[in-house]
Amino acid sequence: MEDKQSPVLIQVYMADDDGAVREELLARQIGEDTYELLSSPGLAQNLARGDIVSIKDKNAPAEVLKRGGNFCIQIYADYISPEDVTALENDVIRELDGTLDGLCEGVLALAIPAKNGMEKINAFFDKFREKTGVEYYYANVYKNLDDDSDETLLYWWLDS
């Protein structure tokens, strides 16, 4: 049996375009099919660092059992200068008590505590967008992940 305190890499289902697509995330196993996410995803939706999730079906999205209190902010760009990434990471830590959880070329994943409030978070990332021209997205706030035009919010952060 694995040590449930040691970090493990888990596969999180994202899509099934021509075969299942999964993202690998660092997690802590806390039950047979239950994990605490130790990082926010760069591509998968509806998840963030600190969430407790169940993965019983490898071909379906992870079920969120308990929110960890973080928004997952995802940024996609063809290129972001190393200086801008470093400045963003430092500012996120200092101003929002958040973390840069993942970086792969122009894809960034950040965990931002919901206690900051969406207004403050939006203002922060709006400044980043104005400076760099790069858009940001909340990955774990929308109810209907299968319909990009449906912006119905989950409002889980109101309970945090």
Side-chain angles (χ1 to χ4, degrees):
M1 173 120 183
E2 291 180 37
D3 175 4
K4 293 186 181 184
Q5 298 303 313
S6 297
V8 295
L9 290 173
I10 61 172
Q11 299 288 320
V12 178
Y13 176 88
M14 293 180 344
D16 194 359
D17 294 331
D18 286 323
V21 179
R22 295 180 183 83
E23 180 173 1
E24 196 170 70
L25 291 177
L26 192 62
R28 182 175 63 88
Q29 187 167 10
I30 57 177
E32 185 177 340
D33 301 311
T34 308
Y35 304 88
E36 176 186 7
L37 300 182
L38 299 178
S39 62
S40 291
L43 300 171
Q45 299 294 297
N46 197 35
L47 303 172
R49 182 174 43 82
D51 288 353
I52 306 295
V53 301
S54 173
I55 303 175
K56 289 187 169 133
D57 181 353
K58 304 291 184 206
N59 294 311
E63 176 188 355
V64 178
L65 303 175
K66 182 173 188 267
R67 295 284 178 186
N70 291 305
F71 288 118
C72 174
I73 303 291
Q74 296 173 337
I75 296 174
Y76 308 104
D78 292 331
Y79 176 79
I80 301 175
S81 76
E83 297 80 16
D84 285 338
V85 172
T86 299
L88 176 64
E89 181 177 22
N90 291 336
D91 291 345
V92 159
I93 292 167
R94 187 179 65 253
E95 295 179 35
L96 300 174
D97 195 28
T99 56
L100 173 61
D101 289 358
L103 169 64
C104 181
E105 297 174 8
V107 176
L108 285 73
L110 301 108
I112 309 296
K115 66 183 177 191
N116 284 290
M118 287 186 105
E119 190 174 312
K120 181 178 179 181
I121 295 167
N122 287 341
F124 176 90
F125 283 99
D126 286 349
K127 282 193 302 187
F128 175 77
R129 180 184 59 222
E130 289 164 13
K131 177 182 174 191
T132 63
V134 176
E135 190 61 69
Y136 64 96
Y137 304 92
Y138 285 87
N140 62 333
V141 300
Y142 298 109
K143 194 172 201 167
N144 188 353
L145 300 176
D146 296 326
D147 182 354
D148 291 339
S149 66
D150 184 351
E151 294 186 355
T152 304
L153 298 176
L154 290 167
Y155 293 111
W156 61 260
W157 53 93
L158 299 179
D159 299 329
S160 298

